[in-house]
Amino acid sequence: MPMKLFKCDETIPEREKHIYIKEKGEDTTQFLPSAHVETIPGSLSERGCSYCGAKLVIGGVLKDTIQLIHGPVGCAYDTWHTKRYPSDNGNFQLKYVWSSDMKEQHVVFGGEKLLKKAMLEAFAEFPDIKRMMVYTTCSTALIGDDIKPVVKEVEKELGDVDIFTVECPGFAGVSQSKGHHVFNMGWMTDKVGTYEPEITSPYTINVIGDYNIQGDTFVLEKYMEKMGVQIIAHFTGNGTYDSLRGMHRAQLNVTNCARSAGYIANELKKKYGIPRIDVDTWGFDYAKEGLRKIGAFFGIEDRAEAVIAEEVAKYESKLAWYKERLTGKKVCIWTGGPRLWHWTKALEDDLGMKVVAMSSKFGHQEDFEKVIARGEEGTIYIDDGNELEFFEVLEMVKPDLVLTGPRVGALVKKLHLPYVNGHGYHNGPYMGFEGAVNMARDMYNAIYSPLMKLAKDDIRGGQNLPSTNGNGNGNGKGTKELSEQVVSLVQQQVKEATSQVKQSAKEVAPQVQPQAKEVAPQVQPQAKEVVPQVQPQAKATAPQVQPQAKEVAPQVQVQAKEIASYIQERAAEVTKLIQERCLWQFHSRAWDREENINGVLNKTAQILTGEKVVLETLIDRGFYADAKILSADLEIRFSWLNSMENSQKKAVLEAVKGMLVDIVITKSKNGELHYSLY
């Protein structure tokens, strides 16, 4: 059964709906794990709360904004300074956290007066900061504190401040994803369009869904600066409050984390006609693709290629060094949501690694559609995985490395398996060309570090080695002697193993050589006898075959069924490639998916057939940018395309449209595709 019930889940059989193992010939129209639903009682979830999704992931990243949490101080502390979101203003957002610090008396009598007092005190302590976000928590939502009137009072009293309210207590949704949604939609409704940014370039974008983990945003900023592209707003890495108010002035939304910020990207598209291009900013080849998309959108491909050439020259050889050593290594990706589908093909294509298991804490079925389409057969997919399931999976797949967060990372380390922090990184940034090398370096260091083996194995071999409790005689001699004996033991094991291999080779060689000498004389005469027999038969058959071929050829050309079958086979190849490499067919709602499928593939047909491509609107240019990448990829990967007539190329792409619509819309098991409350 593709849907899997682990042994540890026998007492909670409902978990079978959340675990899938991909088999040959299957797609997401047949099997799709349940996701973004309530955690089953009895399962120890790794999820975060909805408030955390709004404050920790999105709002708290802004570099010039007071983040005031209306609730007990623990809610503020738990979402402060826990992720590596630097900024170029001295890391203001990492240094401070603000809380109304509710106590029992405020829960009984209300906390609105306390909130106003805290807001005024915060602005007074930081007179240069004029922007604030106020978050409700479980406590304040349960007692019914109404924070918006309080916010209006403070804004009126101070006059020159701007405050955004985020009413998303921890219990509001099944995971932190609810906080993403509430923040996105609230900001779009209340703040976008209330500020006019200064435009300094004819090419303007919003970078959406990047949070500057260990400097990721700085990498993207560097690329855009070299291409002459102005970033109007970062949502929200190294971003400012007012820049986010001016998002409506960008010509293009470049979306990275579609799970946390796809909502606002699509709302900007609906309200302001700003197209959305989804990019994979992690991975070497993906970095090239993302820059080429932006270059194609603005018609500055030459600038994009210049940046790519410069970065490839710096980092390609370094990545190749790591690929040689990481190829074939098995890895589990147990993260929040998007990194599953961002990382899987990057690790497999760029580094030759094999992704064997994936688990999402807060992903939706949309995320599983993407990652299953990109994943290999036999890969395990888990929604809202718990610790016992992780134990069982590790026993099943025996990975060389786990990419996960600190909580699960602590579990993995106890099992003496290496892990790399997939949430806050080890030594980032991980985005772009240099980021791909940094990530490969951290994985290499984790896998090849001897520490895990030393922690797991008793290397003493029964010998009475010096004590490691302290420095022996006080000058480090005991530790040094232990180290020398460890090295000696390892060297001896290597010598013994090498000696055994050499001895085996010597024993086998004399047996193989005589057999080879005996077989060779027997084969040669047989070959000489067969050739004369075959040649006359071939000559006699040729005159008979040639007329038959002439008679059959016209029949083949007119057989519509065979032509249609050929078109369908080629369309299936293209569809598979699009499913694995592209993201535009997997947007959150059915209307958006169908619009993208038609728009991108129509532009692809025009490019491949040499027709004039008309770009009347920004949306047209968005379709063209994706189509330019796709058409180039098709020409490189499929040699049969070059021998096709234009009518056949169009027929293939029309068939691809039908296949994609069938997979991602008509037969999709994603229950959110037609959800009205976007």
Side-chain angles (χ1 to χ4, degrees):
M1 283 290 293
M3 303 306 292
K4 175 76 173 179
L5 181 66
F6 288 149
K7 186 176 180 179
C8 65
D9 290 329
E10 290 178 350
T11 56
I12 43 175
E14 300 93 336
R15 282 295 298 163
E16 183 177 4
K17 300 176 183 178
H18 298 262
I19 302 167
Y20 168 64
I21 301 178
K22 187 174 182 178
E23 294 184 1
K24 186 176 182 179
E26 294 176 353
D27 60 39
T28 53
T29 64
Q30 299 164 279
F31 301 101
L32 191 64
S34 292
H36 192 54
V37 295
E38 293 85 354
T39 296
I40 299 170
S43 178
L44 182 60
S45 174
E46 294 288 341
R47 285 172 167 172
C49 71
S50 300
Y51 149 76
C52 174
K55 193 275 176 184
L56 177 65
V57 176
I58 303 179
V61 186
L62 290 175
K63 64 184 180 182
D64 67 342
T65 306
I66 293 173
Q67 305 286 330
L68 198 151
I69 293 85
H70 184 36
V73 71
C75 294
Y77 182 79
D78 192 49
T79 56
W80 167 64
H81 217 161
T82 55
K83 281 200 175 182
R84 300 168 185 178
Y85 297 144
S87 64
D88 58 10
N89 69 334
N91 298 321
F92 173 80
Q93 78 287 356
L94 295 181
K95 294 177 181 177
Y96 303 103
V97 64
W98 298 263
S99 173
S100 60
D101 191 20
M102 287 188 68
K103 307 294 186 186
E104 290 86 346
Q105 61 178 335
H106 306 116
V107 173
V108 175
F109 298 106
E112 293 176 6
K113 292 181 180 179
L114 178 70
L115 172 62
K116 182 176 180 180
K117 178 175 179 289
M119 293 172 68
L120 293 174
E121 285 180 355
F123 278 123
E125 288 294 325
F126 296 90
D128 295 333
I129 304 298
K130 302 297 183 182
R131 303 293 180 255
M132 176 183 286
M133 292 183 174
V134 180
Y135 302 82
T136 57
T137 58
C138 293
S139 301
T140 51
L142 285 170
I143 65 174
D145 274 359
D146 190 356
I147 67 173
K148 285 193 173 181
V150 179
V151 166
K152 289 181 180 178
E153 285 182 25
V154 173
E155 285 182 324
K156 184 176 181 181
E157 188 170 326
L158 297 181
D160 59 347
V161 300
D162 198 290
I163 305 170
F164 177 57
T165 58
V166 187
E167 297 185 273
C168 188
F171 60 75
V174 301
S175 72
Q176 70 181 61
S177 181
K178 179 67 175 181
H180 305 158
H181 187 190
V182 170
F183 192 106
N184 277 239
M185 303 306 287
W187 189 265
M188 184 69 199
T189 301
D190 297 345
K191 297 301 179 182
V192 172
T194 62
Y195 178 82
E196 290 299 322
E198 180 184 0
I199 305 299
T200 60
S201 169
Y203 317 117
T204 56
I205 67 172
N206 294 317
V207 176
I208 294 179
D210 165 48
Y211 305 104
N212 202 31
I213 301 176
Q214 284 207 7
D216 279 347
T217 298
F218 299 147
V219 174
L220 302 181
E221 285 178 342
K222 178 180 65 177
Y223 297 158
M224 294 302 101
E225 183 178 350
K226 290 180 179 179
M227 290 174 61
V229 176
Q230 179 187 358
I231 299 176
I232 296 290
H234 289 281
F235 194 94
T236 52
N238 198 42
T240 65
Y241 186 101
D242 284 346
S243 69
L244 295 185
R245 295 165 65 197
M247 295 178 76
H248 61 297
R249 291 305 179 197
Q251 298 163 291
L252 174 67
N253 290 317
V254 178
T255 306
N256 182 54
C257 179
R259 177 73 285 124
S260 66
Y263 310 101
I264 198 167
N266 273 32
E267 290 301 309
L268 287 165
K269 178 181 178 180
K270 287 195 293 185
K271 185 172 182 178
Y272 295 102
I274 306 172
R276 161 186 170 181
I277 290 179
D278 285 27
V279 296
D280 294 278
T281 52
W282 292 290
F284 212 77
D285 284 344
Y286 280 147
K288 296 178 189 176
E289 186 178 287
L291 293 179
R292 284 174 176 147
K293 282 185 183 181
I294 296 170
F297 180 88
F298 290 115
I300 52 174
E301 292 94 334
D302 56 336
R303 299 186 188 182
E305 293 300 331
V307 174
I308 291 170
E310 180 183 351
E311 296 298 311
V312 168
K314 289 181 188 175
Y315 298 108
E316 189 171 44
S317 61
K318 296 179 181 179
L319 190 74
W321 190 93
Y322 289 114
K323 181 176 182 178
E324 183 180 346
R325 290 153 179 83
L326 292 174
T327 294
K329 298 298 183 183
K330 294 187 292 185
V331 59
C332 297
I333 306 177
W334 297 342
T335 56
R339 285 175 178 78
L340 274 66
W341 40 268
H342 277 307
W343 282 351
T344 177
K345 292 298 287 182
L347 297 183
E348 292 176 348
D349 294 349
D350 289 354
L351 295 170
M353 303 180 79
K354 185 177 181 181
V355 179
V356 292
M358 303 188 211
S359 176
S360 170
K361 294 180 182 179
F362 56 80
H364 295 217
Q365 288 187 301
E366 168 195 336
D367 300 289
F368 279 103
E369 285 181 295
K370 295 174 185 176
V371 70
I372 290 173
R374 288 184 164 185
E376 299 292 337
E377 296 168 12
T379 302
I380 303 170
Y381 303 93
I382 308 173
D383 166 65
D384 190 19
N386 61 58
E387 291 189 0
L388 293 180
E389 290 170 350
F390 291 148
F391 279 122
E392 196 162 330
V393 170
L394 291 172
E395 184 63 29
M396 291 170 63
V397 301
K398 293 180 170 54
D400 299 291
L401 176 74
V402 180
L403 290 168
T404 187
R407 280 181 292 179
V408 180
L411 161 72
V412 170
K413 286 191 292 185
K414 290 177 183 178
L415 299 177
H416 305 108
L417 284 171
Y419 103 96
V420 171
N421 187 346
H423 293 167
Y425 306 165
H426 271 55
N427 299 285
Y430 280 0
M431 281 188 182
F433 300 94
E434 65 183 277
V437 174
N438 290 342
M439 187 176 181
R441 177 205 58 212
D442 283 352
M443 292 190 294
Y444 168 82
N445 288 341
I447 291 172
Y448 286 95
S449 170
L451 294 178
M452 290 297 173
K453 179 175 173 55
L454 291 173
K456 178 173 60 175
D457 297 339
D458 186 351
I459 60 175
R460 296 174 296 180
Q463 299 183 29
N464 294 321
L465 297 181
S467 172
T468 59
N469 297 325
N471 292 328
N473 61 4
N475 58 6
K477 182 178 179 181
T479 303
K480 181 179 179 181
E481 289 176 356
L482 173 61
S483 179
E484 290 173 349
Q485 293 187 45
V486 168
V487 172
S488 176
L489 284 171
V490 173
Q491 289 176 341
Q492 182 62 31
Q493 291 173 3
V494 171
K495 287 180 180 179
E496 291 174 1
T498 304
S499 176
Q500 292 173 11
V501 172
K502 288 181 178 178
Q503 183 62 33
S504 299
K506 288 179 180 179
E507 294 173 1
V508 172
Q511 300 173 15
V512 174
Q513 289 175 352
Q515 293 176 6
K517 291 180 179 179
E518 292 174 8
V519 172
Q522 298 174 15
V523 173
Q524 290 175 350
Q526 292 176 7
K528 291 180 179 179
E529 293 173 8
V530 171
V531 171
Q533 296 174 14
V534 172
Q535 289 177 342
Q537 292 177 7
K539 291 180 180 179
T541 305
Q544 301 173 12
V545 173
Q546 289 175 352
Q548 293 176 5
K550 291 181 180 179
E551 295 173 3
V552 171
Q555 299 174 11
V556 172
Q557 293 175 358
V558 297
Q559 288 179 350
K561 289 184 178 179
E562 293 187 12
I563 296 175
S565 176
Y566 178 78
I567 295 296
Q568 289 295 312
E569 289 174 2
R570 302 290 79 78
E573 292 180 38
V574 175
T575 300
K576 185 175 185 296
L577 175 66
I578 291 173
Q579 288 261 291
E580 291 179 351
R581 293 289 303 183
C582 303
L583 296 172
W584 39 263
Q585 80 276 20
F586 283 126
H587 284 192
S588 299
R589 298 294 177 262
W591 65 267
D592 206 13
R593 293 185 175 192
E594 187 166 10
E595 185 176 288
N596 286 339
I597 290 169
N598 289 321
V600 173
L601 291 179
N602 286 341
K603 290 289 186 287
T604 302
Q606 292 173 349
I607 294 170
L608 292 177
T609 58
E611 295 181 9
K612 183 179 179 181
V613 180
V614 179
L615 304 176
E616 294 181 348
T617 67
L618 292 176
I619 299 294
D620 286 336
R621 285 161 61 180
F623 293 147
Y624 173 75
D626 275 312
K628 188 80 179 289
I629 300 302
L630 177 61
S631 58
D633 210 7
L634 294 178
E635 290 179 325
I636 292 171
R637 294 174 185 268
F638 302 127
S639 57
W640 47 260
L641 193 64
N642 298 323
S643 60
M644 274 188 170
E645 297 179 357
N646 285 344
S647 59
Q648 293 174 321
K649 294 177 182 177
K650 290 182 178 180
V652 168
L653 292 176
E654 283 298 319
V656 171
K657 284 184 189 178
M659 291 180 179
L660 286 176
V661 168
D662 202 41
I663 293 171
V664 304
I665 301 175
T666 307
K667 295 182 179 178
S668 174
K669 292 183 175 294
N670 182 350
E672 295 184 350
L673 279 184
H674 303 283
Y675 185 46
S676 59
L677 298 177
Y678 186 79

